Amino acid sequence: PYLEGVRGKGLIVGLMLDRPAKPLEQRLRDRGLLTLATADTVLRLLPPLVLEDIHVDLLVRSLTEIQV
């Protein structure tokens, strides 16, 4: 619900949010997911080359469950 857009190329993706990204970054980190808040409202995803479906599912589930 807080996602305004997506930018990037390949696996380097920036999620553009309608709110500050830092609180979301911390909540994801608490779940074991490493992301980076860049700019004020962009959450950068830079997954490893050995990314598996289970990792993507965990990220998507976490993003939908977390309330910030």
Side-chain angles (χ1 to χ4, degrees):
Y2 43 82
L3 184 64
E4 289 190 331
V6 178
R7 64 182 184 198
K9 289 188 175 208
L11 290 178
I12 303 172
V13 176
L15 303 179
M16 297 179 295
L17 310 175
D18 66 356
R19 59 196 71 195
K22 200 67 168 169
L24 182 57
E25 174 191 24
Q26 186 57 51
R27 302 281 307 269
L28 290 170
R29 190 163 297 194
D30 292 343
R31 291 177 174 231
L33 296 164
L34 296 177
T35 59
L36 179 64
T38 61
D40 184 44
T41 59
V42 177
L43 187 69
R44 182 181 294 159
L45 309 177
L46 185 57
L49 293 176
V50 293
L51 183 68
E52 297 179 10
D53 288 344
I54 192 168
H55 302 125
V56 175
D57 293 342
L58 176 61
L59 175 66
V60 170
R61 186 173 52 251
S62 294
L63 287 172
T64 56
E65 292 174 355
I66 291 174
Q67 299 296 318
V68 290

